[in-house]
Amino acid sequence: MSATDIRPCGAADLPALFSIVNDAAQAYKGVIPADCWHEPYMPLDELKQGIRDGIVFWGYEADGELVGVMGIQDRGEVSLIRHAYVQTVQRRKGIGEKLLKYLEGMTAKPILIGTWSAAAWAIAFYEKNERQIETSVVLANARWKS
């Protein structure tokens, strides 16, 4: 696997994006608050709205198939990592790590990443891959909106 396997996602990738997000999000079922879980986890209209709102998705291809996706969104002084998902059958192969490092290299701005507090595996992933976490603190008041 190499960076050449990472590419921007376009309109033709929307069905694969939708599939990957909702397959991978099954890990949250029964973990996040019940009132935050729904089927599908991310409806197609919500995915399209995120893209219209400026989330740029990048995908990781293996054998010509999109198997992982991660979005980056410019929010002025910072960039947000949004919707990082890898197909369930493709997990633990370094795909998420490669996508994260690739997207980090796209911006010199500080990067903010959010995830569910109950998603211990996601928090561990970001802690492992983000040296900045050990050396910084992010604080926000109630008016902060991403």
Side-chain angles (χ1 to χ4, degrees), residues 3-111:
T4 59
D5 297 316
I6 297 173
R7 63 169 179 79
C9 295
D13 295 308
L14 200 55
L17 279 165
F18 177 76
S19 176
I20 291 167
V21 167
N22 286 294
D23 166 64
Q26 290 298 311
Y28 295 126
K29 192 173 187 175
V31 175
I32 65 173
D35 64 326
C36 295
W37 177 260
H38 45 275
E39 294 278 352
Y41 178 72
M42 183 183 293
L44 187 57
D45 287 343
E46 185 178 324
L47 179 60
K48 289 178 181 178
Q49 185 61 51
I51 293 168
R52 284 191 297 270
D53 289 343
I55 299 172
V56 178
F57 282 95
W58 289 77
Y60 189 95
E61 275 192 1
D63 298 323
E65 178 188 2
L66 201 60
V67 297
V69 297
M70 191 173 291
I72 189 166
Q73 185 178 27
D74 186 317
R75 298 293 290 183
E77 293 183 18
V78 300
S79 291
L80 306 177
I81 296 296
R82 307 285 309 272
H83 309 302
Y85 295 98
V86 174
Q87 284 179 338
T88 301
V89 298
Q90 295 290 339
R91 287 190 183 142
R92 317 284 299 152
K93 296 181 180 180
I95 294 168
E97 184 176 346
K98 286 177 176 55
L99 279 165
L100 182 59
K101 289 190 184 322
Y102 190 88
L103 269 59
E104 285 176 331
M106 294 176 58
T107 182
K109 295 179 181 185
I111 293 176

